[in-house]
Amino acid sequence: MGAERTPEFFSGKGIKIGIIGCGYVGLPLALRFSDVGHRVTGFDLDTSKVDKLNAGQTYIQHIPAEKIRQHVEAKHFSATTDFSKLKEMDAVLICVPTPLDARREPDMTYVENTACEISPNLQRDQLVILESTTYPGTTEELVLPILEKSGLRCPIDNGSSGKDVAGDFYLAFSPEREDPGNKNYGLAQIPKIVGGVNPASSRAAQNLYAQIVSRVVPVSSTRAAEMVKLLENIFRCVNIALVNELKLLSLRMGLDIWEVIDGAATKPFGFMPFYPGPGLGGHCIPVDPFYLSWKAREYDFATRFIELAGEINTLMPYQVIESVGEALNQREKSIKGSKILLLGVAYKKDVDDLRESPSLKLLELLTDRGAKIEYNDPYFPALQKMRHYDFSHMRSVDLTPERLASYDCVLIATDHSAYDYESIVRHARLIADTRNATRNVKGGRDKILHC
Ligand SMILES: NC(=O)c1ccc[n+]([C@@H]2O[C@H](COP(=O)([O-])OP(=O)(O)OC[C@H]3O[C@@H](n4cnc5c(N)ncnc54)[C@H](O)[C@@H]3O)[C@@H](O)[C@H]2O)c1
């Protein structure tokens, strides 16, 4: 195809799109592009994922195998570990992880390695878009120089001259705003923010995304687009910390914070409800803000809201354990030796995602304190070894009335919809509810501890 790929080319049909990283973000994106008739190739290092995709199977609970199978059979979608096939793509979208390293600093190795895989395969007029959440400057300071090792150029230009600077390829940043499991807002309904390294790159990316989402919102640069995503997640992180702190105060004052939040949420303007919990979880909210605090240091700037929110949110699992210990103490028991059932290990309700889940911290704290701990989660029949935790010996137990009655405490960490809270409260002796999951249960309220 070569030099024919103008920015307008990307509003056409049958575009060959490569998605690098077929995880929670990359796979739905690949299927969405397949839905509208493009030819999509998923690139991943994980051969088991690639094999499953090509066999029409799924490994993400909310993505149906049937959808994958249909696209594979129609030859709209396939997966590969062969990165030389990047050469054949018109557009390449990067959806690889951006975690924190052991020192809680940005771990850019995935993005860097991916750029290194693209560079020797980069073609004239190819469009490359970074979707991974990251600090402002990543696209221009990290990805662009690696891609330009190919000998092809993509000049940085803010468009102030009103003319297109000539580039050899297009490069843009567009953050993924997917909320896995959200039934109201799927990929197609969520507006897509786009920032290009130059105006032609921005137009190329806008044209591509306009085919799969209802609204594309251009911003002036890749750095602005990178910052938009961080602002969204920092907003959540700080507001969750705020309600977590107010929950602690409310408990001390004998107030029900959930009642207070529901009351405040009736104000039709100027208030948005956030809810407390046992700590922050998921791949984004506990991680992303620290990408900005790390970058801010380069500017001699301390991001105090982020640090304070991190401090409060980190404290929450410890606070939960203290409340459980106190409630057991009133029953002349200690955490050591008590039989405790943890309900829900996923980081939020109704998802099969364990990453950064506060439940893992709760399991660790209870184990360290000598509790006899078991768990139940319909999404996790067994636990696997994770980066920071190893509970691979644990299996989800059944929730029979006899079993529920056998625990000194049932700790609700994740409020999955599948749980029968009436039955849990009826049979358990003590319920520690970190999510107000038992709000509609009428009987047995004297057994419920909010924490
Ligand atoms: N999960 C979410 O809800 C969510 C929402 C918005 C944004 N994000 C951001 O999107 C990015 C991806 O997150 P995710 O949740 O999809 O991660 P994920 O771990 O589910 O998937 C990433 C995939 O990339 C693959 N991979 C890693 N290195 C690779 C390489 N060099 N080449 C090819 N494949 C490689 C992994 O095998 C994995 O399949 C992150 O930056 C994340 O912060 C995630």
Side-chain angles (χ1 to χ4, degrees), residues 34-35 37-41 70-78:
S34 307
D35 282 344
H38 296 299
R39 283 168 292 164
V40 182
T41 309
Q70 279 170 6
H71 285 310
V72 170
E73 280 178 3
K75 303 214 180 307
H76 286 156
F77 176 63
S78 63

Side-chain angles (χ1 to χ4, degrees), residues 11-22:
S11 51
K13 297 287 159 222
I15 293 176
K16 284 184 247 155
I17 299 172
I19 307 274
I20 308 186
C22 299

Side-chain angles (χ1 to χ4, degrees), residues 97-119:
T98 43
L100 295 174
D101 67 14
R103 284 174 289 149
R104 297 197 66 74
E105 293 188 348
D107 176 357
M108 298 309 296
T109 50
Y110 299 91
V111 172
E112 212 172 322
N113 291 343
T114 303
C116 291
E117 279 150 2
I118 300 171
S119 188

